[in-house]
Amino acid sequence: MRTKLFEPGTCALIALVFAALSPVVCAAQQRLNPLMHDRTEPQPRVVVPPAPSTQEQVGRPPSDAVVLFDGRDLSRWVSMDGSPARWKVQDGYMECVPGAGSIRTLQNFGDCQLHIEWATPPTPKGTGQGRGNSGVFFGMDRYEVQVLDSYQNSTYADGSAGAIYGQYPPMVNASLPPGQWQTYDIVYIAPRFDSKGNLVSPAFITVFHNGVLVQYHAPLTGPTSWLERKPYEPHPEKLPISLQDHGDPIRYRNIWVRELGPPTRKELTLPRALLDTYAGVYERGRNDTIEIARHGDQLVATLAKVRFPLFAESETKFFAKTVDLEIEFIKDAQGKVDRLVYSVGEGASTCHKIK
Ligand code: MG
């Protein structure tokens, strides 16, 4: 009998091979200590585990989680372009307003464990992909775990609830009836690229749907998409998580995320319009400048002819990852950006904007 490439058993085998070959994937996992029963090995960090939700009541997140939505407001969410999110919040949940657009987290996440609860409309409308469609995306809209009313609703398998859209159907259909709260617990391992932009290891996704394993460490072929398997394009390891507006009023509640691996600096994806206010030329000395330009969602600084992609830590503070370079932008009394303060490893200098 011929083995199909995308059968669950084969997927798990592929995943194990990738995991074994890929040292970066292990960054989020336990490291094997060659010395067994080592008395000097650090103790695992204490985390108070989550209390599970019921249909009526929302559970508690674990003690080390970043809470993305606690039922009150959308302060941690924005529209995809960084403008305020236009979904509605009521009775402890948020609801997609069809046509308002997808929303994303302001904060970026790489390897992570995400808990999210969702409900499709109690009275189903439409069929197939047209019934209760939304999605949980990682990597700024690139990698989708499908949200769909898949309760007695037939559609193509790799587009049903728990699917990695267009790539891997869920192993089983663990859907509850429409209107009921359902859970996803997802482990996302971001893809890695080398300095030339070549793929070093793919994205991996594991999903529990209502506590049932439906995806196990599935290696993504690239961004998820309708009709085509898109190739990977290099992108930063940490990017926003997003929720899809697919035209249906899907509800979400109790959303929290745990970052995996060693602690890293907080990163945000700021609105492009804000980044544009920082772009320009700043005078560092006689005939010497720092140039700030925007490339997509990121600022790039050119200092002494060396280019540094910058990562936002707050609305005004940025840092580089290859050198301990920090830049803070400062506004004048009229609210216009007129200078920056930068430091490399030590000290701090002010540079005024000249262009
Ligand atoms: Mg979808």
Side-chain angles (χ1 to χ4, degrees):
M1 191 183 78
R2 245 182 103 215
T3 307
K4 278 197 205 157
L5 184 60
F6 295 110
E7 273 178 353
T10 319
C11 294
L13 189 64
I14 293 169
L16 284 172
V17 170
F18 266 114
L21 292 177
S22 172
V24 286
V25 170
C26 298
Q29 297 171 346
Q30 293 288 84
R31 275 183 309 151
L32 183 68
N33 186 344
L35 179 65
M36 291 176 73
H37 315 313
D38 177 1
R39 72 197 68 208
T40 67
E41 188 160 42
Q43 289 296 305
R45 204 161 39 85
V46 173
V47 173
V48 180
S53 299
T54 63
Q55 282 297 326
E56 300 74 33
Q57 239 177 343
V58 168
R60 278 194 316 277
S63 56
D64 62 346
V66 175
V67 175
L68 295 176
F69 180 68
D70 65 1
R72 281 185 288 209
D73 60 58
L74 294 175
S75 56
R76 290 177 177 269
W77 297 84
V78 291
S79 294
M80 296 308 290
D81 65 1
S83 62
R86 295 186 290 129
W87 289 23
K88 71 178 177 193
V89 175
Q90 61 183 44
D91 302 332
Y93 59 80
M94 63 162 91
E95 184 176 297
C96 173
V97 175
S102 300
I103 61 172
R104 66 167 175 87
T105 54
L106 185 61
Q107 190 174 340
N108 301 342
F109 299 96
D111 300 347
C112 64
Q113 171 191 349
L114 176 76
H115 174 86
I116 189 161
E117 300 176 16
W118 53 274
T120 59
T123 310
K125 274 193 204 144
T127 57
Q129 292 294 299
R131 184 186 292 188
N133 195 333
S134 182
V136 179
F137 282 77
F138 298 86
M140 188 70 161
D141 229 17
R142 287 181 173 85
Y143 312 116
E144 180 184 15
V145 176
Q146 173 73 312
V147 168
L148 193 80
D149 178 357
S150 283
Y151 187 81
Q152 298 174 355
N153 175 33
S154 168
T155 185
Y156 46 88
D158 64 11
S160 58
I164 294 169
Y165 186 80
Q167 297 187 21
Y168 298 98
M171 295 177 196
V172 293
N173 182 348
S175 298
L176 290 172
Q180 288 199 29
W181 284 104
Q182 311 200 43
T183 60
Y184 275 165
D185 288 280
I186 303 173
V187 178
Y188 166 71
I189 304 296
R192 265 50 171 200
F193 301 90
D194 66 17
S195 58
K196 294 194 177 103
N198 301 310
L199 183 71
V200 175
S201 70
F204 292 96
I205 290 182
T206 295
V207 182
F208 288 85
H209 182 190
N210 297 322
V212 175
L213 184 68
V214 294
Q215 300 286 350
Y216 174 65
H217 206 54
L220 273 66
T221 59
T224 55
S225 179
W226 186 48
L227 303 179
E228 57 175 333
R229 293 253 161 82
K230 290 186 176 171
Y232 277 101
E233 281 178 4
H235 61 75
E237 195 176 309
K238 292 169 81 173
L239 284 172
I241 292 168
S242 49
L243 302 177
Q244 185 185 40
D245 170 8
H246 199 281
D248 293 318
I250 306 305
R251 294 171 182 175
Y252 290 96
R253 71 174 189 184
N254 199 22
I255 310 172
W256 50 259
V257 62
R258 295 181 62 245
E259 296 188 81
L260 305 177
T264 52
R265 228 159 150 166
K266 185 178 173 182
E267 287 175 33
L268 310 176
T269 295
L270 298 173
R272 290 182 178 189
L274 176 63
L275 297 180
D276 286 338
T277 67
Y278 300 140
V281 179
Y282 297 78
E283 190 167 37
R284 198 163 78 95
R286 235 179 119 189
N287 300 324
D288 191 5
T289 59
I290 297 178
E291 261 185 64
I292 304 290
R294 180 178 66 76
H295 291 264
D297 291 311
Q298 200 165 24
L299 288 182
V300 175
T302 305
L303 169 60
K305 294 185 182 160
V306 185
R307 292 174 83 252
F308 300 98
L310 297 179
F311 297 84
E313 185 174 32
S314 73
E315 290 221 334
T316 55
K317 278 190 182 170
F318 294 75
F319 63 95
K321 288 190 179 173
T322 51
V323 167
D324 189 1
L325 163 68
E326 295 184 340
I327 291 181
E328 181 169 12
F329 295 94
I330 298 174
K331 292 175 183 168
D332 63 16
Q334 282 73 48
K336 219 173 147 206
V337 177
D338 72 337
R339 62 199 189 277
L340 62 76
V341 176
Y342 84 99
S343 62
V344 181
E346 59 182 7
S349 306
T350 300
C351 304
H352 288 271
K353 197 173 183 184
I354 54 172
K355 259 192 242 169

Coordinates of all heavy atoms in Angstrom, one line a residue, residues 38-115:
D38 N 21.2 15.2 37.5 CA 22.2 16.3 37.9 C 21.6 17.2 39.0 O 20.6 17.8 38.8 CB 22.4 17.1 36.6 CG 23.3 18.3 36.8 OD1 23.8 18.5 37.9 OD2 23.5 19.0 35.8
R39 N 22.3 17.2 40.1 CA 21.8 17.9 41.3 C 21.9 19.4 41.1 O 21.4 20.2 41.8 CB 22.5 17.5 42.6 CG 23.9 17.9 42.8 CD 24.6 17.1 43.8 NE 24.8 15.7 43.4 CZ 24.8 14.7 44.3 NH1 24.7 14.8 45.5 NH2 25.0 13.4 43.8
T40 N 22.7 19.9 40.1 CA 22.9 21.3 39.9 C 21.9 21.9 38.8 O 21.9 23.1 38.6 CB 24.3 21.7 39.5 OG1 24.5 21.1 38.1 CG2 25.3 21.1 40.4
E41 N 21.2 21.0 38.2 CA 20.3 21.4 37.1 C 19.2 22.4 37.7 O 18.6 22.0 38.7 CB 19.6 20.3 36.4 CG 18.8 20.7 35.2 CD 18.6 19.5 34.3 OE1 18.2 18.4 34.7 OE2 18.7 19.7 33.0
P42 N 19.0 23.5 37.1 CA 18.0 24.5 37.7 C 16.6 23.8 37.8 O 16.2 23.0 36.9 CB 17.9 25.6 36.7 CG 19.2 25.5 35.9 CD 19.6 24.1 35.9
Q43 N 15.9 24.2 38.8 CA 14.5 23.7 39.0 C 13.6 24.3 37.9 O 13.7 25.5 37.6 CB 14.0 24.1 40.4 CG 14.7 23.3 41.5 CD 14.4 21.8 41.4 OE1 13.2 21.4 41.4 NE2 15.4 21.0 41.4
P44 N 12.6 23.6 37.5 CA 11.6 24.2 36.6 C 10.9 25.4 37.2 O 10.6 25.3 38.4 CB 10.6 23.1 36.3 CG 11.3 21.8 36.7 CD 12.2 22.2 37.8
R45 N 10.6 26.4 36.4 CA 9.9 27.6 36.9 C 8.5 27.2 37.4 O 7.9 26.3 36.7 CB 9.8 28.5 35.7 CG 9.7 30.0 36.1 CD 10.1 30.8 34.9 NE 9.6 30.3 33.6 CZ 8.5 30.5 33.0 NH1 7.5 31.2 33.7 NH2 8.2 30.0 31.8
V46 N 8.1 27.7 38.5 CA 6.7 27.4 39.0 C 5.7 28.2 38.2 O 5.8 29.4 38.1 CB 6.6 27.7 40.5 CG1 5.1 27.5 41.0 CG2 7.5 26.8 41.3
V47 N 4.7 27.5 37.6 CA 3.6 28.2 36.9 C 2.3 27.6 37.5 O 2.1 26.4 37.7 CB 3.6 27.9 35.4 CG1 2.3 28.4 34.7 CG2 4.8 28.4 34.8
V48 N 1.4 28.5 38.0 CA 0.1 28.0 38.5 C -0.8 27.7 37.3 O -1.0 28.5 36.4 CB -0.5 29.1 39.4 CG1 -1.9 28.7 39.9 CG2 0.4 29.5 40.5
P49 N -1.2 26.5 37.2 CA -1.9 26.0 36.0 C -3.3 26.7 35.8 O -3.8 27.2 36.8 CB -2.1 24.5 36.1 CG -2.0 24.3 37.6 CD -1.1 25.4 38.2
P50 N -3.8 26.7 34.6 CA -5.1 27.3 34.3 C -6.2 26.6 34.8 O -6.2 25.3 34.9 CB -5.1 27.4 32.8 CG -4.3 26.2 32.3 CD -3.2 26.0 33.4
A51 N -7.3 27.3 35.2 CA -8.6 26.7 35.5 C -9.4 26.6 34.2 O -9.5 27.7 33.6 CB -9.3 27.5 36.6
P52 N -9.9 25.5 33.9 CA -10.6 25.4 32.6 C -11.9 26.1 32.6 O -12.6 26.3 33.6 CB -10.8 23.9 32.4 CG -10.8 23.3 33.8 CD -9.9 24.2 34.6
S53 N -12.4 26.6 31.4 CA -13.6 27.2 31.2 C -14.8 26.2 31.2 O -14.6 25.1 30.8 CB -13.7 28.0 29.9 OG -12.7 29.0 29.9
T54 N -16.0 26.7 31.5 CA -17.2 25.9 31.3 C -17.9 26.6 30.2 O -17.6 27.7 29.8 CB -18.0 25.8 32.5 OG1 -18.5 27.1 32.9 CG2 -17.3 25.1 33.7
Q55 N -19.1 26.0 29.7 CA -19.9 26.8 28.7 C -20.3 28.1 29.3 O -20.4 29.1 28.5 CB -21.1 25.9 28.3 CG -20.8 24.8 27.4 CD -20.2 25.2 26.0 OE1 -20.6 26.3 25.5 NE2 -19.3 24.5 25.5
E56 N -20.6 28.2 30.6 CA -21.1 29.4 31.2 C -20.0 30.4 31.6 O -20.2 31.6 31.5 CB -22.0 29.1 32.4 CG -23.2 28.2 32.1 CD -22.9 26.8 31.9 OE1 -21.9 26.3 32.5 OE2 -23.5 26.1 31.1
Q57 N -18.9 29.8 32.1 CA -17.9 30.6 32.8 C -16.5 30.5 32.2 O -16.2 29.4 31.7 CB -17.9 30.2 34.3 CG -18.2 31.3 35.2 CD -18.2 30.9 36.6 OE1 -18.3 29.7 36.9 NE2 -18.1 31.8 37.5
V58 N -15.8 31.6 32.2 CA -14.5 31.6 31.7 C -13.5 31.2 32.7 O -13.6 31.6 33.9 CB -14.2 33.0 31.2 CG1 -12.7 33.2 30.9 CG2 -15.0 33.4 30.0
G59 N -12.5 30.3 32.4 CA -11.5 29.8 33.3 C -10.4 30.9 33.5 O -10.5 31.9 32.9
R60 N -9.5 30.5 34.3 CA -8.3 31.4 34.6 C -7.2 31.0 33.7 O -6.9 29.8 33.5 CB -7.9 31.4 36.0 CG -8.8 32.2 37.0 CD -8.0 32.3 38.3 NE -7.5 31.1 38.8 CZ -8.2 30.2 39.5 NH1 -9.5 30.3 39.7 NH2 -7.6 29.0 39.9
P61 N -6.4 32.0 33.3 CA -5.1 31.7 32.5 C -4.0 31.2 33.5 O -4.1 31.5 34.7 CB -4.7 33.0 31.9 CG -5.3 34.0 32.8 CD -6.6 33.5 33.4
P62 N -3.0 30.5 33.0 CA -1.9 30.1 33.9 C -1.2 31.4 34.3 O -1.3 32.5 33.7 CB -1.0 29.3 33.0 CG -1.5 29.4 31.6 CD -2.9 30.0 31.6
S63 N -0.4 31.3 35.4 CA 0.1 32.5 36.0 C 1.2 33.2 35.1 O 1.4 34.4 35.3 CB 0.8 32.1 37.3 OG 1.8 31.1 37.1
D64 N 1.8 32.5 34.2 CA 2.8 33.2 33.4 C 2.3 33.6 32.0 O 3.0 34.0 31.1 CB 4.0 32.4 33.2 CG 3.8 31.1 32.5 OD1 2.6 30.7 32.3 OD2 4.7 30.4 32.1
A65 N 0.9 33.6 31.8 CA 0.4 34.0 30.5 C 0.3 35.5 30.2 O 0.1 36.2 31.2 CB -1.0 33.3 30.3
V66 N 0.4 35.9 29.0 CA 0.0 37.2 28.6 C -1.4 37.1 28.2 O -1.8 36.4 27.3 CB 0.8 37.7 27.3 CG1 0.4 39.0 26.9 CG2 2.3 37.7 27.7
V67 N -2.3 37.9 28.9 CA -3.7 37.8 28.6 C -4.0 38.8 27.5 O -3.8 40.0 27.5 CB -4.5 38.2 29.9 CG1 -6.0 38.3 29.5 CG2 -4.3 37.2 31.0
L68 N -4.5 38.2 26.4 CA -4.8 39.0 25.2 C -6.2 39.6 25.2 O -6.5 40.6 24.5 CB -4.6 38.2 23.9 CG -3.1 37.8 23.7 CD1 -3.0 36.9 22.5 CD2 -2.2 39.0 23.6
F69 N -7.1 38.9 25.9 CA -8.5 39.3 26.0 C -9.2 38.7 27.2 O -9.2 37.5 27.3 CB -9.3 39.0 24.7 CG -10.7 39.4 24.8 CD1 -11.1 40.8 24.7 CD2 -11.8 38.5 24.9 CE1 -12.4 41.2 24.8 CE2 -13.1 38.9 24.9 CZ -13.4 40.3 24.9
D70 N -9.6 39.6 28.1 CA -10.2 39.1 29.4 C -11.7 39.4 29.4 O -12.3 39.4 30.5 CB -9.5 39.7 30.6 CG -9.6 41.2 30.7 OD1 -10.3 41.8 29.8 OD2 -9.1 41.8 31.6
G71 N -12.3 39.7 28.3 CA -13.7 40.0 28.3 C -14.1 41.4 28.4 O -15.3 41.8 28.3
R72 N -13.1 42.3 28.6 CA -13.4 43.7 28.9 C -13.2 44.7 27.8 O -14.1 45.5 27.5 CB -12.7 44.2 30.1 CG -13.3 43.7 31.4 CD -12.6 44.3 32.6 NE -11.3 43.7 32.8 CZ -10.7 43.5 34.0 NH1 -11.3 43.9 35.1 NH2 -9.5 43.0 34.1
D73 N -12.1 44.6 27.1 CA -11.8 45.6 26.1 C -10.8 45.0 25.0 O -10.2 44.0 25.2 CB -11.2 46.9 26.7 CG -9.9 46.6 27.4 OD1 -9.0 46.1 26.8 OD2 -9.9 46.9 28.7
L74 N -10.6 45.8 24.0 CA -9.7 45.4 22.9 C -8.4 46.1 22.9 O -7.8 46.4 21.9 CB -10.4 45.7 21.5 CG -11.7 44.8 21.3 CD1 -12.4 45.2 20.0 CD2 -11.3 43.3 21.2
S75 N -7.9 46.5 24.1 CA -6.7 47.3 24.3 C -5.5 46.6 23.7 O -4.5 47.3 23.4 CB -6.5 47.7 25.7 OG -6.5 46.5 26.5
R76 N -5.5 45.3 23.6 CA -4.3 44.6 23.1 C -4.5 44.2 21.6 O -3.7 43.5 21.1 CB -4.0 43.4 23.9 CG -3.5 43.7 25.3 CD -3.3 42.5 26.1 NE -2.8 42.8 27.4 CZ -1.5 42.9 27.7 NH1 -0.6 42.6 26.7 NH2 -1.0 43.2 28.9
W77 N -5.6 44.8 21.0 CA -5.9 44.4 19.6 C -6.0 45.7 18.7 O -6.5 46.7 19.2 CB -7.2 43.6 19.5 CG -7.1 42.3 20.2 CD1 -7.2 42.1 21.6 CD2 -6.7 41.1 19.7 NE1 -7.0 40.8 21.9 CE2 -6.7 40.1 20.7 CE3 -6.4 40.6 18.4 CZ2 -6.4 38.8 20.5 CZ3 -6.1 39.3 18.2 CH2 -6.1 38.4 19.2
V78 N -5.6 45.6 17.5 CA -5.8 46.7 16.5 C -6.2 46.1 15.2 O -6.2 44.8 15.0 CB -4.4 47.4 16.3 CG1 -4.0 48.2 17.6 CG2 -3.3 46.5 15.9
S79 N -6.7 46.9 14.3 CA -6.9 46.5 12.9 C -5.6 46.1 12.3 O -4.5 46.5 12.8 CB -7.6 47.5 12.1 OG -8.9 47.8 12.7
M80 N -5.6 45.4 11.1 CA -4.4 44.9 10.5 C -3.4 46.1 10.2 O -2.2 45.9 10.3 CB -4.6 44.1 9.3 CG -5.4 42.8 9.5 SD -4.7 41.7 10.8 CE -3.3 41.1 10.0
D81 N -3.9 47.3 9.9 CA -3.1 48.4 9.6 C -2.6 49.2 10.8 O -2.0 50.2 10.7 CB -3.7 49.3 8.6 CG -5.0 50.0 9.2 OD1 -5.3 49.8 10.3 OD2 -5.6 50.8 8.4
G82 N -3.0 48.7 12.0 CA -2.6 49.3 13.2 C -3.6 50.3 13.8 O -3.4 50.9 14.9
S83 N -4.7 50.6 13.0 CA -5.7 51.6 13.5 C -6.6 50.8 14.5 O -6.5 49.6 14.6 CB -6.5 52.1 12.4 OG -7.2 51.0 11.7
P84 N -7.4 51.5 15.3 CA -8.2 50.9 16.3 C -9.1 49.7 15.8 O -9.6 49.8 14.7 CB -9.1 52.0 16.9 CG -8.3 53.2 16.6 CD -7.6 53.0 15.3
A85 N -9.1 48.6 16.6 CA -9.9 47.5 16.2 C -11.4 47.8 16.2 O -11.9 48.5 17.2 CB -9.7 46.3 17.2
R86 N -12.2 47.4 15.2 CA -13.6 47.8 15.2 C -14.6 46.6 15.4 O -15.7 46.6 14.9 CB -13.9 48.4 13.8 CG -13.1 49.8 13.7 CD -13.4 50.5 12.4 NE -12.9 49.9 11.2 CZ -13.7 49.6 10.1 NH1 -14.9 49.9 10.1 NH2 -13.1 49.0 9.1
W87 N -14.1 45.6 16.2 CA -15.0 44.5 16.6 C -15.7 45.0 17.8 O -15.3 45.9 18.5 CB -14.2 43.2 16.8 CG -13.7 42.6 15.6 CD1 -13.4 43.2 14.4 CD2 -13.3 41.2 15.4 NE1 -12.9 42.3 13.5 CE2 -12.8 41.1 14.1 CE3 -13.3 40.1 16.3 CZ2 -12.3 39.9 13.6 CZ3 -12.8 38.9 15.8 CH2 -12.3 38.8 14.5
K88 N -16.9 44.3 18.1 CA -17.6 44.8 19.3 C -17.3 43.8 20.5 O -17.0 42.7 20.3 CB -19.1 44.9 19.0 CG -19.8 43.6 18.8 CD -21.3 43.9 18.6 CE -22.1 42.6 18.3 NZ -23.4 42.8 17.8
V89 N -17.4 44.4 21.7 CA -17.2 43.7 22.9 C -18.5 43.8 23.7 O -19.0 44.9 23.9 CB -16.0 44.3 23.7 CG1 -15.9 43.7 25.1 CG2 -14.7 44.3 22.9
Q90 N -19.0 42.6 24.1 CA -20.2 42.6 25.0 C -20.2 41.3 25.8 O -19.7 40.3 25.3 CB -21.5 42.8 24.2 CG -21.7 41.7 23.2 CD -23.0 42.0 22.4 OE1 -23.2 43.1 21.9 NE2 -23.8 41.0 22.2
D91 N -20.8 41.4 27.0 CA -21.0 40.2 27.8 C -19.8 39.2 27.9 O -19.9 38.0 27.9 CB -22.2 39.3 27.2 CG -23.5 40.2 27.2 OD1 -23.6 41.1 28.0 OD2 -24.3 39.9 26.3
G92 N -18.6 39.9 28.0 CA -17.4 39.1 28.2 C -16.8 38.4 26.9 O -15.9 37.6 27.1
Y93 N -17.4 38.7 25.8 CA -16.7 38.2 24.6 C -16.6 39.4 23.5 O -17.2 40.4 23.7 CB -17.5 37.1 23.9 CG -19.0 37.4 23.6 CD1 -19.3 38.1 22.4 CD2 -20.0 37.0 24.4 CE1 -20.6 38.4 22.0 CE2 -21.3 37.3 24.0 CZ -21.6 38.0 22.9 OH -22.9 38.3 22.5
M94 N -15.7 39.1 22.6 CA -15.6 40.0 21.4 C -16.2 39.3 20.2 O -16.3 38.1 20.2 CB -14.1 40.4 21.1 CG -13.3 39.2 20.7 SD -11.8 39.7 19.9 CE -10.6 39.8 21.2
E95 N -16.8 40.1 19.3 CA -17.5 39.5 18.2 C -17.0 40.3 16.9 O -16.9 41.5 16.8 CB -19.0 39.7 18.3 CG -19.8 39.0 17.2 CD -21.3 39.1 17.5 OE1 -21.7 38.5 18.5 OE2 -22.0 39.7 16.6
C96 N -16.7 39.5 15.9 CA -16.3 40.0 14.6 C -17.5 40.8 14.0 O -18.6 40.3 14.0 CB -15.9 38.9 13.7 SG -15.6 39.4 12.0
V97 N -17.2 42.0 13.6 CA -18.3 42.8 12.9 C -18.0 42.6 11.4 O -16.9 43.1 10.9 CB -18.2 44.3 13.3 CG1 -19.2 45.1 12.5 CG2 -18.5 44.4 14.8
P98 N -18.8 41.9 10.7 CA -18.5 41.6 9.3 C -18.2 42.9 8.5 O -18.9 43.9 8.6 CB -19.7 40.9 8.7 CG -20.3 40.3 10.0 CD -20.0 41.2 11.1
G99 N -17.1 42.9 7.8 CA -16.7 44.1 7.0 C -15.8 45.0 7.8 O -15.1 45.9 7.2
A100 N -15.6 44.8 9.1 CA -14.7 45.7 9.9 C -13.3 45.3 9.7 O -12.4 46.0 10.2 CB -15.1 45.6 11.4
G101 N -13.0 44.1 9.1 CA -11.7 43.7 8.9 C -11.1 42.8 10.0 O -11.6 42.8 11.1
S102 N -10.1 42.1 9.6 CA -9.4 41.2 10.6 C -8.8 42.1 11.7 O -8.5 43.3 11.4 CB -8.4 40.3 9.9 OG -9.0 39.5 8.9
I103 N -8.5 41.5 12.8 CA -7.8 42.2 13.9 C -6.5 41.4 14.3 O -6.4 40.2 14.0 CB -8.7 42.5 15.1 CG1 -9.1 41.2 15.8 CG2 -9.9 43.4 14.7 CD1 -9.8 41.4 17.1
R104 N -5.6 42.2 14.8 CA -4.3 41.5 15.2 C -3.9 42.1 16.6 O -4.3 43.1 17.0 CB -3.2 41.8 14.2 CG -2.8 43.3 14.1 CD -1.5 43.4 13.3 NE -1.2 44.8 13.0 CZ -0.4 45.5 13.9 NH1 0.0 45.0 15.0 NH2 -0.1 46.8 13.6
T105 N -3.0 41.3 17.2 CA -2.4 41.8 18.4 C -1.4 42.9 18.1 O -0.8 42.9 17.1 CB -1.6 40.7 19.2 OG1 -0.7 40.1 18.3 CG2 -2.6 39.6 19.6
L106 N -1.3 43.8 19.1 CA -0.3 44.9 18.9 C 1.1 44.3 19.2 O 2.1 44.6 18.5 CB -0.5 46.0 19.9 CG 0.3 47.2 19.9 CD1 0.2 47.9 18.5 CD2 0.0 48.2 21.0
Q107 N 1.1 43.3 20.1 CA 2.4 42.7 20.5 C 2.7 41.5 19.5 O 1.8 40.9 19.0 CB 2.3 42.2 21.9 CG 3.6 41.7 22.5 CD 3.6 41.3 24.0 OE1 2.7 41.7 24.7 NE2 4.5 40.5 24.4
N108 N 4.0 41.3 19.3 CA 4.4 40.2 18.5 C 4.8 38.9 19.3 O 5.2 39.0 20.4 CB 5.7 40.6 17.7 CG 5.5 41.8 16.9 OD1 4.4 42.2 16.6 ND2 6.6 42.5 16.5
F109 N 4.5 37.8 18.7 CA 4.8 36.5 19.3 C 5.5 35.6 18.4 O 5.1 35.5 17.2 CB 3.5 35.9 19.9 CG 2.8 36.7 20.9 CD1 1.8 37.6 20.5 CD2 3.3 36.8 22.2 CE1 1.2 38.4 21.5 CE2 2.7 37.6 23.2 CZ 1.6 38.4 22.8
G110 N 6.5 34.9 18.8 CA 7.1 33.8 18.1 C 6.6 32.5 18.6 O 5.4 32.3 18.6
D111 N 7.5 31.6 19.0 CA 7.1 30.3 19.5 C 6.2 30.6 20.7 O 6.5 31.3 21.7 CB 8.3 29.5 20.0 CG 9.3 29.2 18.9 OD1 9.0 29.5 17.7 OD2 10.4 28.8 19.2
C112 N 5.0 29.9 20.7 CA 4.0 30.2 21.8 C 3.0 29.1 21.9 O 2.8 28.3 21.0 CB 3.4 31.6 21.6 SG 2.3 31.6 20.1
Q113 N 2.3 29.2 23.1 CA 1.2 28.3 23.3 C 0.0 29.3 23.4 O 0.0 30.2 24.3 CB 1.3 27.6 24.6 CG 0.1 26.9 25.1 CD 0.2 26.4 26.5 OE1 1.3 26.4 27.1 NE2 -0.9 25.9 27.1
L114 N -1.0 29.1 22.6 CA -2.2 30.0 22.6 C -3.4 29.3 23.0 O -3.7 28.2 22.5 CB -2.4 30.6 21.2 CG -3.6 31.5 21.0 CD1 -3.4 32.9 21.6 CD2 -4.0 31.6 19.5
H115 N -4.2 29.9 23.9 CA -5.5 29.4 24.3 C -6.5 30.4 23.8 O -6.4 31.6 24.0 CB -5.6 29.2 25.8 CG -7.0 28.8 26.2 ND1 -7.4 27.5 26.3 CD2 -8.1 29.5 26.6 CE1 -8.7 27.4 26.7 NE2 -9.1 28.7 26.9

